[in-house]
Amino acid sequence: METLVLQLTRQLTTTFLEDVLTSVFEFGRSFARLVTAPINRIANACDVAGVLERRRFAAQVRRRTRQTQRPRGRWLFGSLSELT
């Protein structure tokens, strides 16, 4: 019985810590976007040749190809979700 309690406690602690780390990273990411927003606006206004737009499009294409290459879920038959 003690081992079950220890396992549950360990699992809850790990889950809590993962959630805390995720929220801290998301807060940092949103803070960075807030701080760099004026710089991005200036860069977009000065982009006469369309270099930034081409880079965004290329990154979007790479992201889409990566998403189609990896399995959809973490469970055993997760990649079969596309068949439904």
Side-chain angles (χ1 to χ4, degrees):
M1 188 68 182
E2 268 185 52
T3 58
L4 182 61
V5 171
L6 288 175
Q7 287 175 353
L8 287 174
T9 305
R10 200 172 292 135
Q11 186 177 10
L12 285 173
T13 306
T14 304
T15 305
F16 177 74
L17 290 177
E18 287 174 356
D19 290 345
V20 167
L21 282 175
T22 303
S23 63
V24 166
F25 287 139
E26 289 297 321
F27 176 75
R29 193 174 293 147
S30 62
F31 181 74
R33 277 192 210 124
L34 181 70
V35 170
T36 59
I39 298 168
N40 286 333
R41 273 188 251 127
I42 293 170
N44 287 332
C46 295
D47 185 26
V48 178
V51 175
L52 295 176
E53 188 62 34
R54 282 194 302 257
R55 285 184 183 170
R56 281 189 206 109
F57 180 73
Q60 187 179 30
V61 168
R62 281 193 304 269
R63 229 178 290 124
R64 284 184 186 165
T65 55
R66 256 185 281 143
Q67 286 176 350
T68 57
Q69 290 174 353
R70 65 179 163 197
R72 286 288 175 186
R74 290 186 174 193
W75 61 291
L76 183 60
F77 300 109
S79 59
L80 300 177
S81 66
E82 298 167 353
L83 298 177
T84 59

